[in-house]
Amino acid sequence: MHIIDALKKQFTLEDNVLLIETKEATEHYGKTTFSTPVNIDCVIIIKKEITIGKVLKLANALQFNLYPVGTNRNWGYGSFNVCSDRPNVILDLGQLCEITGTDKELGLVTLGPGVTQKQLYEFLIKNNWEYMVPVTGAGPEAGIVSNALERGYGITPHNDHFYACTALKAFIPHPELCERQYESALSSFDQSDTDFIDKSYKWGLGPYIDGLFTQSNLGIVSEMTIRLAPKPEYFSAFYLRVFKEEQFEKTVELVKDILKNYAGIVGSINLMDRRRLISITTENPNRFDSNVLMSEQQIQDIASKNQLPYWLVVGSIYGDKEVVKATKKMFKRKAKTIGTVLFSDSKRIKAATYFFKRLPKVTFVKKITAQLASLQEGIDIMQGIPNQVALPLPYWRNPRIRPNKNNELSPSKDNCGLLWYAPLIKMTASSLNNFVRFIRETTPKYGIEPLITFTNLKHDCVDSTVPIVFDLHQPEQIKNAHDCLNELIQKGAKYGFVPYRLDVKQQENLDAEHMFWQTTNLIKDAFDPNRILSPGRYNPIATKENPINLKD
Ligand SMILES: Cc1cc2nc3c(=O)[nH]c(=O)nc-3n(C[C@H](O)[C@H](O)[C@H](O)COP(=O)(O)OP(=O)(O)OC[C@H]3O[C@@H](n4cnc5c(N)ncnc54)[C@H](O)[C@@H]3O)c2cc1C
């Protein structure tokens, strides 16, 4: 019997679930940015969190693989990797989007697993909460809980999204326990009628288990409490344009100094190279021939036309007006020998915005107005206002669709090709220099543009995100993109560049014999003896002969 027929028999009207059949399921959920669509047997959309337990029970009884998704927008990494041994069923949690204001004064908010950045933003506005959404570049429709469970990050002051999680509840897949909700020991200990202590104190009591639900396949999180960053009294973004390539090392030292000595005032800092800036600010000059990379001449022409530097440092200063003013002054002084600094609250930018908005819309004015609008969107992101400013990037080599930010963008639905290489790198000028050289040598071998961003969250360790953008319509380019990522990961590891997060294909290459993954496997056995929940997700399979390692 097909799994959907078996499932139809199990759910009652009261369960209020929606089942989606194979063809539609594959069409709507199976598209990725790095493969042909993944075949899905069925999707279950639920409306009540209690149904999670029932679905897990059914997965154990009927023996199907179950993959939960929050908003299914894990573009460039993939939300699931299906196996062929059993039916593959997606559990869509997107309708569980309740938002509860746990404590307005403290900025604690409890979210269902489907809450999007936009929904949280609207909640904060409607209820006059002076707090910021922990936004990412994935746009207003992307989830908050799912991103935290991937241990994603952003550039608002609470940049590490799982770090900001103070409590969560979940269902584990064990056949005998799956219908009971997991919560921390503090929650059950507390006999008062509030759950305040549990929701405000991250570490709970006894072993810290909440973290096991991140980058794993050990449970389905049904709600999460996060601590939001307060809106600052005053804010300014800064832009340091570095026009001399040889100033790179000095720039890195400056960023390190700022993050070390001004933590709490200066948020994370982004450092982008010229090609990456071109990919953000202009259209691909070779858009209609996706096999061609930008030539040095094209890069120079675009850069001089748009006054793009070799490196751009973008960061944010939060505080009261006096603190921001003093920090700006300090930054300007320290950056003096490197390049020119521009601040978002400067009269120059305000005047330009005012001026160009009022001019007749001839081509050159339209272009500058668009650039100023993108600048404003970047500033909005730093202030916790979600938008689509980063989303055109995956369309860079898509010859068929031009991204229009006035519509909702979906790189997977629009068949854009994207994989991320996201390694952590020691924050020294020489390591970063080696990294830049490594990327520029490696990616062109595979026909991939070397686009580099460093996101500096702390002064000791940098996270780089290198987007591997390609044409998904061309099978050879898909293969090259995966081969490129593979070389970056394997070779990069030898230099000490180690990914903080992996796409679903690379997760298959993790060394199952390593003690860390052996330990993970033991935990998996205990939580999920039938291995029904997202098999293989950050959980390399131990024995090749017995791929799902089922217990007798
Ligand atoms: C242009 C661009 C910019 C981006 N910028 C950023 C960025 O700034 N920061 C960043 O971190 N990422 C970024 N991304 C990557 C990615 O799109 C986001 O991280 C996105 O939030 C992840 O997708 P999602 O939230 O829809 O998660 P989903 O796809 O819903 O889920 C992600 C994973 O978590 C698991 N999961 C989800 N919900 C649950 C649950 N309740 N219980 C158990 N497991 C669950 C799923 O099984 C899945 O494997 C970007 C992508 C693009 C294309």
Side-chain angles (χ1 to χ4, degrees):
M1 193 192 299
H2 192 278
I3 188 63
I4 195 156
D5 297 318
L7 283 169
K8 275 180 190 162
K9 290 194 172 152
Q10 301 294 331
F11 289 113
T12 63
L13 270 181
E14 237 175 53
D15 289 325
N16 199 10
V17 305
L18 193 68
L19 297 176
I20 300 183
E21 313 221 6
T22 309
K23 190 164 173 280
E24 209 188 328
T26 301
E27 173 70 20
H28 288 291
Y29 291 79
K31 285 192 163 178
T32 81
T33 59
F34 48 79
S35 64
T36 51
V38 175
N39 235 329
I40 293 159
D41 292 286
C42 164
V43 175
I44 308 174
I45 302 178
I46 58 169
K47 310 254 170 76
K48 296 183 286 191
E49 68 170 34
I50 195 73
T51 320
I52 298 174
K54 177 161 181 176
V55 174
L56 285 168
K57 188 100 191 155
L58 288 173
N60 277 294
L62 303 175
Q63 291 284 299
F64 58 84
N65 297 324
L66 184 68
Y67 307 88
V69 293
T71 46
N72 197 22
R73 283 171 165 74
N74 208 3
W75 296 311
Y77 297 106
S79 300
F80 45 83
N81 201 8
V82 297
C83 307
S84 53
D85 57 334
R86 295 187 289 208
N88 293 299
V89 176
I90 303 293
L91 176 62
D92 183 342
L93 304 164
Q95 309 268 318
L96 304 181
C97 41
E98 198 179 333
I99 304 178
T100 313
T102 302
D103 192 306
K104 187 172 178 178
E105 204 192 327
L106 298 172
L108 288 169
V109 72
T110 300
L111 310 173
V115 173
T116 63
Q117 299 182 33
K118 183 174 164 204
Q119 287 166 343
L120 179 57
Y121 180 69
E122 286 169 354
F123 171 90
L124 299 180
I125 296 286
K126 189 170 160 217
N127 296 289
N128 295 316
W129 281 48
E130 292 292 310
Y131 287 90
M132 291 187 244
V133 175
V135 287
T136 67
E141 303 301 329
I144 306 270
V145 172
S146 41
N147 181 266
L149 291 175
E150 275 283 89
R151 299 208 291 263
Y153 62 82
I155 54 169
T156 57
H158 289 187
N159 49 35
D160 179 338
H161 293 161
F162 185 66
Y163 189 75
C165 161
T166 50
L168 59 76
K169 291 188 179 169
F171 288 85
I172 66 166
H174 193 283
E176 274 128 49
L177 295 172
C178 62
E179 287 178 294
R180 290 168 60 186
Q181 198 174 35
Y182 159 89
E183 57 183 11
S184 87
L186 281 185
S187 179
S188 46
F189 213 115
D190 192 341
Q191 298 298 305
S192 69
D193 54 5
T194 76
D195 230 2
F196 177 78
I197 299 300
D198 175 48
K199 290 200 172 354
S200 58
Y201 183 64
K202 185 175 175 82
W203 305 113
L205 186 71
Y208 181 70
I209 293 180
D210 292 11
L212 288 180
F213 299 112
T214 69
Q215 291 194 357
S216 77
N217 56 3
L218 298 171
I220 301 181
V221 172
S222 50
E223 67 165 56
M224 183 183 278
T225 305
I226 58 171
R227 194 184 289 279
L228 301 170
K231 267 189 196 164
E233 190 187 308
Y234 197 75
F235 164 89
S236 178
F238 56 83
Y239 307 85
L240 168 62
R241 294 185 297 165
V242 185
F243 282 100
K244 288 186 188 148
E245 207 168 8
E246 61 277 13
Q247 294 277 40
F248 177 68
E249 298 202 353
K250 242 176 147 179
T251 309
V252 172
E253 290 305 333
L254 172 72
V255 171
K256 189 173 174 175
D257 170 20
I258 301 291
L259 283 172
K260 187 170 176 192
N261 297 308
Y262 298 87
I265 301 171
V266 173
S268 50
I269 299 179
N270 266 346
L271 182 58
M272 284 173 276
D273 79 342
R274 198 155 75 166
R275 280 193 184 79
R276 183 78 174 85
L277 289 173
I278 291 175
S279 76
I280 297 173
T281 51
T282 63
E283 249 192 11
N284 185 349
N286 310 313
R287 206 167 77 79
F288 295 108
D289 188 352
S290 69
N291 289 311
V292 177
L293 299 187
M294 282 188 289
S295 65
E296 277 309 317
Q297 192 58 50
Q298 283 178 319
I299 292 172
Q300 268 179 31
D301 291 347
I302 297 172
S304 66
K305 204 164 148 197
N306 296 285
Q307 291 191 310
L308 298 176
Y310 277 104
W311 290 95
L312 179 70
V313 179
V314 185
S316 41
I317 309 172
Y318 305 88
D320 60 32
K321 207 166 178 179
E322 284 310 301
V323 168
V324 174
K325 198 174 157 195
T327 312
K328 276 170 60 179
K329 206 169 155 196
M330 167 283 300
F331 187 72
K332 225 169 154 177
R333 180 172 44 80
K334 291 195 180 219
K336 208 162 86 187
T337 57
I338 300 177
T340 46
V341 189
L342 211 68
F343 294 102
S344 65
D345 64 339
S346 72
K347 290 197 182 100
R348 249 167 88 190
I349 289 197
K350 283 184 180 158
T353 310
Y354 181 86
F355 178 68
F356 282 105
K357 261 191 187 161
R358 278 155 188 81
L359 285 185
K361 298 285 176 272
V362 291
T363 317
F364 128 87
V365 176
K366 267 191 200 157
K367 224 169 149 185
I368 296 192
T369 315
Q371 278 183 7
L372 286 166
S374 285
L375 190 70
Q376 184 55 47
E377 284 178 316
I379 294 167
D380 287 347
I381 289 277
M382 291 182 230
Q383 298 191 84
I385 303 170
N387 62 46
Q388 301 200 104
V389 68
L391 282 182
L393 169 75
Y395 295 76
W396 177 252
R397 293 178 75 185
N398 184 335
R400 303 191 189 169
I401 297 187
R402 268 175 131 150
N404 176 356
K405 281 193 278 171
N406 294 324
N407 302 328
E408 187 191 325
L409 296 177
S410 171
S412 54
K413 285 193 182 136
D414 288 340
N415 298 316
C416 299
L418 172 74
L419 280 163
W420 291 107
Y421 173 46
L424 299 160
I425 306 152
K426 187 178 174 189
M427 174 87 187
T428 61
S430 67
S431 299
L432 266 54
N433 231 340
N434 288 342
F435 182 78
V436 171
R437 204 172 315 123
F438 171 58
I439 298 297
R440 289 182 181 162
E441 272 167 20
T442 311
T443 67
K445 286 195 297 187
Y446 296 92
I448 302 291
E449 208 87 67
L451 310 172
I452 303 175
T453 304
F454 294 111
T455 303
N456 304 268
L457 306 172
K458 294 248 157 34
H459 65 276
D460 47 8
C461 193
V462 184
D463 197 314
S464 174
T465 40
V466 174
I468 296 177
V469 186
F470 56 98
D471 183 358
L472 193 69
H473 305 94
Q474 297 202 41
E476 203 179 335
Q477 285 203 28
I478 301 179
K479 183 182 178 308
N480 282 342
H482 284 281
D483 289 350
C484 178
L485 180 58
N486 202 42
E487 177 167 340
L488 290 172
I489 290 180
Q490 300 303 327
K491 227 177 177 176
K494 296 201 169 96
Y495 301 125
F497 311 141
V498 189
Y500 91 100
R501 180 172 172 185
L502 290 174
D503 71 279
V504 289
K505 294 276 170 225
Q506 285 295 329
Q507 286 171 30
E508 289 174 0
N509 298 340
L510 294 166
D511 175 9
E513 299 304 324
H514 190 279
M515 185 55 190
F516 178 86
W517 298 114
Q518 291 277 329
T519 310
T520 311
N521 226 19
L522 282 177
I523 300 172
K524 180 69 175 168
D525 271 338
F527 275 49
D528 185 10
N530 292 322
R531 306 248 165 182
I532 49 105
L533 191 63
S534 307
R537 175 167 151 78
Y538 285 103
N539 180 212
I541 290 151
T543 56
K544 289 213 165 66
E545 298 74 36
N546 185 10
I548 54 166
N549 199 20
L550 281 176
K551 281 190 164 170
D552 295 334

